[in-house]
Amino acid sequence: MLQVQNLQVTYPTPQGKAYAVNGINLEVAAGETVGIVGESGCGKSSLARAVMRLLEPSAGRVVIGGVDVTSLPKRKLRPLRQRIQMVFQDPAASLDPRFTVGQLIGEPLTLTEKHRATRNKRVLALMDDVGLPVALFDRFPHQLSGGQRQRVAIARAIAPRPDIIVLDEPVSALDVSLQAQVLNLLVDLQQQYRMAYLFVSHDIGVVQHMADRIAVMYLGRIVEIAPYADIMESPQHPYTQALLQAIPVMDPRRSRIADKQILTGDVPSPLSIPSGCAFHTRCRFATDRCRRSVPPLHSVGSDSLVACHLSAPSTESPFN
Ligand code: SF4
């Protein structure tokens, strides 16, 4: 459904070129949910925006349903927008305050449904699908709660029946109690509409219950990608282990991590990415080799990839 090939997003700064996304390869199959996790500043939102062509990649390709969207002129992107939609973190900023709920949800349908009565019928069905009372049809975004606004944004996204939705921190602006409701709604809608999700979150705990696979990003690169169960039961990369330890809930499966990996310090600036393994400044296993050479993303098991010298399939000791 979605292929991201060697994608790079850079931006110029007075100090030089900064790499927000630095050579990402990723595939999302039909109906699959892939979670992209990492701390703020890891490049995951830049990746999401580049997939949507809201940011222009500096290299690489994004292929949606077999069509290379990176080489398409913007005017030819519109039909493809039906196939891929996005839900943003802040629904207040993504919804036009001058439109009512009915108009906001109906707007993506104007291309395919010209008759207003038929369109409104479909809008009411979409409102029902996302759990919005019909009484809100004529309300404006400022008259809604945060949870209701995000439901409007989700209804807009599913209206054209896309193949895939990019969800960029879709619940992080909501209260914890509302987060669970919206996550459950997304799970139900995925089954009903048979869509794939690319789910971006700084919190691995948020994506853990719905992702088929999880990709962990650090400073513009994927450092581990694996099926959900493998990530939860035997995370290979020290950064993944640290993210899992930060989830504030008890999960007996995580007891398999022998020692706690506590994350200290901040993500370094993308303007001065550390040499070798970019995580070495925060990794308690770092060696000279880690400081010298970039660990390639290599297979561990049948479906997992990890970029760490500790799990490299090399006869050389990782501590040389
Ligand atoms: Fe840590 Fe070295 Fe692995 Fe990087 S390559 S995560 S520094 S052990």
Side-chain angles (χ1 to χ4, degrees):
M1 186 56 61
L2 170 69
Q3 293 172 297
V4 174
Q5 298 168 348
N6 203 22
L7 197 73
Q8 273 189 6
V9 177
T10 58
Y11 54 93
T13 72
Q15 292 80 33
K17 200 193 274 184
Y19 285 82
V21 177
N22 194 359
I24 294 280
N25 290 291
L26 184 71
E27 292 189 0
V28 182
E32 186 185 28
T33 297
V34 175
I36 306 284
V37 300
E39 295 161 284
S40 176
C42 285
K44 54 195 188 309
S45 286
S46 296
L47 169 65
R49 283 172 164 71
V51 164
M52 295 298 299
R53 286 272 313 262
L54 299 175
L55 272 179
E56 285 301 323
S58 35
R61 300 200 315 158
V62 175
V63 181
I64 298 170
V67 179
D68 180 357
V69 298
T70 27
S71 61
L72 281 183
K74 288 238 161 162
R75 68 190 156 76
K76 290 202 172 164
L77 279 175
R78 195 157 186 208
L80 268 172
R81 292 254 184 261
Q82 304 284 309
R83 303 189 69 176
I84 184 164
Q85 292 283 312
M86 188 163 183
V87 173
F88 296 88
Q89 175 179 357
D90 182 3
S94 65
L95 300 177
D96 191 324
R98 298 165 301 171
F99 285 6
T100 64
V101 168
Q103 289 168 328
L104 285 164
I105 300 174
E107 196 256 345
L109 298 170
T110 50
L111 268 183
T112 51
E113 187 49 74
K114 302 290 178 202
H115 296 288
R116 187 195 260 190
T118 319
R119 198 164 62 234
N120 283 349
K121 206 169 153 193
R122 174 97 177 96
V123 169
L124 290 172
L126 284 162
M127 289 178 70
D128 188 48
D129 286 347
V130 300
L132 283 171
V134 173
L136 299 183
F137 187 90
D138 289 320
R139 300 272 176 88
F140 290 92
H142 74 271
Q143 297 173 304
L144 308 178
S145 68
Q148 287 170 336
R149 280 196 289 265
Q150 197 57 303
R151 286 172 192 266
V152 173
I154 292 169
R156 265 175 71 85
I158 62 174
R161 293 193 166 267
D163 298 317
I164 180 166
I165 299 186
V166 177
L167 302 155
D168 187 7
E169 305 270 10
V171 297
S172 54
L174 304 177
D175 293 344
V176 175
S177 58
L178 288 175
Q179 286 188 2
Q181 288 178 23
V182 172
L183 290 173
N184 288 336
L185 172 67
L186 289 169
V187 170
D188 292 345
L189 290 172
Q190 187 174 36
Q191 285 168 1
Q192 186 181 344
Y193 283 79
R194 300 180 186 280
M195 307 167 286
Y197 288 153
L198 185 66
F199 193 127
V200 171
S201 176
H202 69 280
D203 183 353
I204 197 168
V206 164
V207 297
Q208 65 173 329
H209 296 301
M210 53 187 299
D212 298 302
R213 289 186 298 141
I214 292 179
V216 180
M217 274 187 78
Y218 192 75
L219 277 175
R221 293 178 193 266
I222 289 177
V223 297
E224 181 164 8
I225 179 164
Y228 153 78
D230 292 356
I231 288 272
M232 299 308 291
E233 290 174 19
S234 61
Q236 299 291 307
H237 197 283
Y239 183 55
T240 313
Q241 294 171 5
L243 291 179
L244 282 169
Q245 288 296 335
I247 301 177
V249 290
M250 294 302 293
D251 185 340
R253 286 171 297 184
R254 268 186 269 141
S255 64
R256 294 193 188 189
I257 301 171
D259 295 306
K260 283 206 162 197
Q261 317 288 310
I262 304 299
L263 262 184
T264 53
D266 295 323
V267 181
S269 162
L271 265 172
S272 53
I273 293 176
S275 61
C277 172
F279 188 57
H280 83 250
T281 54
R282 302 169 78 196
C283 179
R284 69 190 182 114
F285 303 114
T287 65
D288 283 347
R289 183 183 175 196
C290 302
R291 287 180 268 276
R292 277 198 316 268
S293 69
V294 179
L297 203 55
H298 58 266
S299 297
V300 285
S302 52
D303 302 313
S304 305
L305 296 169
V306 178
C308 173
H309 291 311
L310 283 180
S311 51
S314 166
T315 52
E316 182 190 358
S317 162
F319 297 103
N320 283 341

